[in-house]
Every structure is written in structure tokens, then in C-alpha cells.
Amino acid sequence: MAQTVREETHRFRNFAYLFLFLFIIWLALTSSFYWQELIVGFSISFLLAVICHKNYLNLGLPPLGFKRIVFALVYIVVLFKEIVLANIDVAYRVIHPKMPIKPGIVVIKTELKQDIAKMILANSITLTPGTFTLDILGDKLLIHWINVQSQNVDEATKLIGERFEKYLKVIFA
Amino acid sequence: MDIIGTVVTGIGVAFLFLGNLGVLRLPDVYNRIQAGTKCTTLGAFLTIIGVGIMEPIWFWKALLIALFVLVTNPISSHAIARASRKSGVSLCKQSVVDKSEDFDDFGENA
């Protein structure tokens, strides 16, 4: 019994996320709050969410909570800071006459369980200074690093993944 | 508004230029992907947002397109890098370490 209840809430959560996501996209595309547009957007988002929400059950989306929202917002700010730093870093390496690069492929570990969390971590690593993800297998990530500072798995994890993982762990706890 | 938009677009174009320069200058495919991902992500993002600032009616659509670029760019670069490593493209001479052989997906187990 408890199992079915949990499954129901899980499905409802997926449905709500998908509906909100589609409706926000509709609002951004039409950029109008005219009531006829709103009704059409509402019904289309509702219909699509009803049809499609079962496809996303395996993603492991977390329930909504105040702490999670705050951490997600902080995470977005950190991510943008890292993106800007990444661009300046790579641009510096490109225009420097001697090209101070020291490339290599290293392995790091993650403690995240859900697929969606791993995907967000891998994409964030790709967007940050000098690193991008080649492959994920289980709890290991294969990373190409333009300026290798450590070949040890734990140290590399600390240097590359730590700054995102501490937020993602709370969001997907 | 026009001036802010132009400046933002200009910064974006500068980053796009540096990204292209990186693709030309860096030694192997993986380092080129580094330049091709990082600089073009921010470059495309700022260019599109700049257009959105110049034409406020388009701002939300521009933001949506920019976020789409931001989400898909890492995935495409990941796919290219993984494919080239799997098909055996070697790293450049300056490389210090290559642990991809330990990975089950790569090396001789693949």
C-alpha cells in the first residue's frame, strides 16, 4: 500500500514539473498575458504533461522544498560565475604566445545516485575552467583537463567536482 | 538600451572570435573541443541576450534560445569527445596523463 502511495506522489510530482516547464516555455514564447493565449497554453501544457509525464519517471527528480530551491538558485549563481571564469581562462590560454597547456585525461568519483544529478554534474564540469566530461560509468567520470594539477583520483575529485557536488548533494538528497 | 545591447553582443562576438582562434591554435582534438565549448557557450549566450536587450519584445524568446544553447552545447561536445576517444584519436605530445585505458568503455575492453 505504502509503495503505491509513494509511486502516485512520484508520478504527480513528475506531472507537475513537466506541466510547469511547458507552461513557462509557452509564456516565454508568446510573451503575452492575454487570457485566450493563457487558456490555450494551459490546455496544451496540461495535455502534453498528461501524455508524456510517465517517460520521465526514471530521472529521479526530487520533491520540491524551500531548502532545495535556495540551493538551486545558489547553484545557478555559482555556475554562471564558473562559466565566466572558464571563458577568461581558456581565452587567456589561447592568446598567450606559448600556450601554457598541460592536457591529460583523469578519472574522478562522484557520490551522486540519480541519473539527472550525474548529468547536471557532468554538464557543469564541461562548462567550468579547463575541464570537460568524456564519459560516465557508474560512479566514475572520465575528465579531460587542459591543465592537469593532480593525477590522484581523490585530489582530482576535490579540485574538479567538489564545488558543484556539495550543492547537488543537498538538492538531490 | 541599444547601447547596452550592442556592448553585450560585442563581448559575445569577441569570445566567439577567441574560441575560433583556439580551434586553430590548440594542438589536438580534445583541446580544440575545450576552446570550442567554453568560448562559444558564453559567446553565443551573450550574442543572443544582446539581441534580446536591443529588442525588448524578443527578450524572453532570446533568453529561451540562449538557455537551450547553454544546455545542449556541453552535450554535443561530450558526444564528439567520447566518439573520438572511442575511435582511437590519440592525445597530443604535451599530454601528461591518459587514464581512459582503465575505463571499461575504452581501451582494449571496448
Side-chain angles (χ1 to χ4, degrees), chain A residues 29 87 94 103 105 126 151, chain B residues 25 38 61 96-97 99 105:
Chain A
L29 280 178
N87 277 276
V94 168
I105 293 178
T126 304
Q151 300 186 15
Chain B
R25 282 200 73 194
K38 308 266 150 47
K61 284 176 207 172
V96 286
V97 57
K99 287 200 181 168
D105 251 13

Side-chain angles (χ1 to χ4, degrees), chain A residues 70-90:
Chain A
V70 171
F71 266 76
L73 291 177
V74 174
Y75 181 76
I76 291 171
V77 173
V78 171
L79 184 63
F80 262 86
K81 193 196 91 195
E82 294 288 346
I83 289 174
V84 174
L85 283 180
N87 277 276
I88 294 165
D89 181 70
V90 174

Side-chain angles (χ1 to χ4, degrees), chain A residues 4-147:
Chain A
T4 35
V5 170
R6 201 178 301 146
E7 209 161 76
E8 282 301 311
T9 53
H10 194 82
R11 279 175 68 168
F12 177 71
R13 200 197 300 150
N14 266 282
F15 167 77
Y17 281 153
L18 188 59
F19 172 71
L20 276 178
F21 181 68
L22 291 169
F23 197 53
I24 287 170
I25 288 181
W26 175 275
L27 285 180
L29 280 178
T30 56
S31 324
S32 104
F33 287 101
Y34 188 54
W35 64 274
Q36 286 179 334
E37 302 240 27
L38 285 187
I39 287 175
V40 174
F42 188 90
S43 20
I44 291 178
S45 318
F46 192 85
L47 202 68
L48 278 175
V50 166
I51 296 169
C52 299
H53 75 277
K54 287 184 199 116
N55 299 344
Y56 302 100
L57 285 178
N58 294 331
L59 281 182
L61 292 168
L64 217 54
F66 178 70
K67 201 175 162 194
R68 287 202 174 88
I69 295 175
V70 171
F71 266 76
L73 291 177
V74 174
Y75 181 76
I76 291 171
V77 173
V78 171
L79 184 63
F80 262 86
K81 193 196 91 195
E82 294 288 346
I83 289 174
V84 174
L85 283 180
N87 277 276
I88 294 165
D89 181 70
V90 174
Y92 164 74
R93 282 178 209 287
V94 168
I95 52 179
H96 194 283
K98 280 183 193 149
M99 281 198 295
I101 56 170
K102 198 176 144 198
I105 293 178
V106 296
V107 175
I108 71 165
K109 276 201 155 127
T110 174
E111 285 167 26
L112 299 168
K113 298 278 186 301
Q114 295 93 339
D115 285 352
I116 181 101
K118 281 187 214 162
M119 191 197 86
I120 294 174
L121 179 69
N123 279 1
S124 307
I125 286 172
T126 304
L127 287 171
T128 50
T131 49
F132 77 85
T133 314
L134 274 167
D135 203 0
I136 308 178
L137 206 67
D139 64 341
K140 285 190 202 139
L141 278 82
L142 194 64
I143 306 279
H144 181 271
W145 204 352
I146 203 169
N147 185 23

Side-chain angles (χ1 to χ4, degrees), chain B residues 15-90:
Chain B
F15 273 118
L16 281 174
F17 172 74
L18 288 173
N20 282 320
L21 196 68
V23 171
L24 288 175
R25 282 200 73 194
L26 290 167
D28 69 348
V29 66
Y30 307 100
N31 290 310
R32 286 176 176 178
I33 289 171
Q34 294 267 14
T37 324
K38 308 266 150 47
C39 294
T40 53
T41 308
L42 195 66
F45 190 81
L46 288 179
T47 316
I48 296 167
I49 291 289
V51 172
I53 292 171
M54 276 190 257
E55 300 282 342
I57 315 163
W58 296 348
F59 181 76
W60 294 107
K61 284 176 207 172
L63 190 67
L64 205 63
I65 297 168
L67 287 179
F68 184 74
V69 170
L70 201 66
V71 171
T72 49
N73 210 335
I75 295 173
S76 60
S77 73
H78 156 78
I80 298 170
R82 186 164 180 271
S84 46
R85 192 74 199 94
K86 273 206 155 187
S87 54
V89 179
S90 55

